[in-house]
Amino acid sequence: MALFLSLLLVLLFPSTNADWPPSPGYWPSSIFRPMSFHKGFKNLWGPSHQSVNHNALTIWLDKTSGSGFKSVRPFRSGYFSASIKVQPGYTAGVITAFYVRILSNNEAHPGFHDEVDIEFLGTTFGKPYTLQTNVYVRGSGDGKIIGREMKFHLWFDPTQDFHHYAILWTPKEIIFLVDDVPIRRYPRKSAATFPLRPMWVYGSIWDASSWATEDGKYKADYKYQPFVAKYTNFKASGCSAYAPGWCHPVSASPFRSGGLTRQQRRAMRWVQRYHMVYNYCRDPKRNHALTPECRS
């Protein structure tokens, strides 16, 4: 009788959040070769807070500085990824990021840029990290910030081991992947809502106490310093800004034309159903006249 009741409870209340996502059926990371850090990237700032050992990069933040790195060339499309491990414990206010970005040459609007982000938002004891994905299109840092955030609590602990995080950016779409599982697809619906200018690949760790953890409620506490992030298995493949016009964008699926397979879409729906904790398109406090892509 006890066994029957246990089986009935499993059928009625499946343990969805404890499970891993359905298999995506396709693993784009396997088709791109890893590169050494020095071959594809260089220090951007905080060189004393950065070290490379056997192609694994460690960067850290303390009260004196954080650190960042940048690709040696810009791209106009591509697949960009790294395996990342973040620090456990109290990391409130600390951002560990991997992203693509371009700055405008318009000095009147120095923050008027395009950017596609994967960011770990630091946390407090006993609470999970939040993985934030974001897309900025000609509108960040100039007083008219228009973010397109989707946030997730992952189905694993990102402090325990390395996991692979990727951005696939083409003229048609942006796809965010975690361990080859698509978690978000941002299609191009208009040139006004999609980044199309060439961008560089970046990574960094820095203090964002004013907003990173529960809207700034919890700040970076430097008694827990240094805050450390580790990166390895770097991949950056696609059409550089200087590639000939016939260079074909890479894909996150077996379809050369892009998009996702039915199995990949199923895995993405599972992640968004059980692990997404914020979607800008569903935020009633947002002015959606500024994000017209949400209408459809």
Side-chain angles (χ1 to χ4, degrees), residues 11-285:
L11 290 172
L12 291 175
F13 305 102
S15 182
T16 50
N17 281 10
D19 297 335
W20 283 60
S23 169
Y26 185 75
W27 293 266
S29 67
S30 66
I31 66 176
F32 301 108
R33 291 184 178 180
M35 65 173 65
S36 69
F37 173 77
H38 290 304
K39 182 178 179 180
F41 298 91
K42 60 183 179 181
N43 174 263
L44 182 61
W45 58 283
S48 64
H49 289 61
Q50 185 176 118
S51 67
V52 180
N53 185 26
H54 299 296
N55 294 328
L57 171 73
T58 301
I59 56 177
W60 60 93
L61 167 71
D62 60 27
K63 64 174 60 176
T64 65
S65 179
S67 187
F69 59 92
K70 179 182 178 180
S71 63
V72 297
R73 57 176 177 157
F75 294 82
R76 66 170 187 258
S77 68
Y79 174 90
F80 315 109
S81 65
S83 295
I84 304 172
K85 183 179 179 182
V86 289
Q87 179 167 308
Y90 188 98
T91 56
V94 179
I95 297 289
T96 300
F98 186 75
Y99 53 105
V100 293
R101 177 181 182 182
I102 182 173
L103 287 175
S104 170
N105 291 325
N106 185 346
E107 294 301 325
H109 298 283
F112 196 66
H113 67 270
D114 299 340
E115 185 170 325
V116 180
D117 295 319
I118 291 175
E119 297 172 310
F120 291 92
L121 308 185
T123 189
T124 57
F125 292 114
K127 294 185 179 180
Y129 267 90
T130 297
L131 185 79
Q132 174 168 280
T133 64
N134 207 347
V135 178
Y136 292 111
V137 185
R138 300 177 183 269
S140 168
D142 60 356
K144 298 179 181 179
I145 297 176
I146 305 171
R148 293 167 166 85
E149 305 92 342
M150 288 178 65
K151 302 178 184 180
F152 303 85
H153 287 163
L154 296 167
W155 53 96
F156 54 83
D157 183 350
T159 72
Q160 295 301 302
D161 205 351
F162 284 94
H163 290 267
H164 205 65
Y165 305 88
I167 296 169
L168 186 286
W169 169 52
T170 78
K172 292 173 151 183
E173 62 190 353
I174 297 165
I175 298 173
F176 299 86
L177 304 104
V178 176
D179 290 338
D180 287 312
V181 176
I183 64 170
R184 177 182 182 183
R185 178 175 178 263
Y186 182 85
R188 176 181 174 180
K189 296 184 178 179
S190 73
T193 61
F194 197 87
L196 294 168
R197 297 178 292 174
M199 295 194 276
W200 280 260
V201 187
Y202 294 84
S204 61
I205 188 167
W206 55 289
D207 187 335
S209 290
S210 63
W211 62 270
T213 306
E214 298 187 31
D215 295 323
K217 179 180 179 180
Y218 298 98
K219 316 292 185 183
D221 188 340
Y222 286 98
K223 74 182 180 184
Y224 299 110
Q225 70 176 20
F227 302 103
V228 177
K230 297 183 178 182
Y231 297 70
T232 189
N233 196 19
F234 292 95
K235 299 180 181 184
S237 182
C239 297
S240 79
Y242 317 112
W246 49 258
C247 182
H248 196 284
V250 297
S251 174
S253 76
F255 308 137
R256 189 176 178 186
S257 60
L260 297 171
T261 66
R262 181 180 297 178
Q263 196 167 344
Q264 286 177 309
R265 292 196 302 270
R266 177 171 172 259
M268 183 171 67
R269 285 194 299 269
W270 184 93
V271 173
Q272 293 186 358
R273 179 177 181 183
Y274 296 113
H275 292 275
M276 184 169 66
V277 295
Y278 178 82
N279 182 343
Y280 75 106
C281 281
R282 300 176 187 170
D283 186 343
K285 298 187 295 295

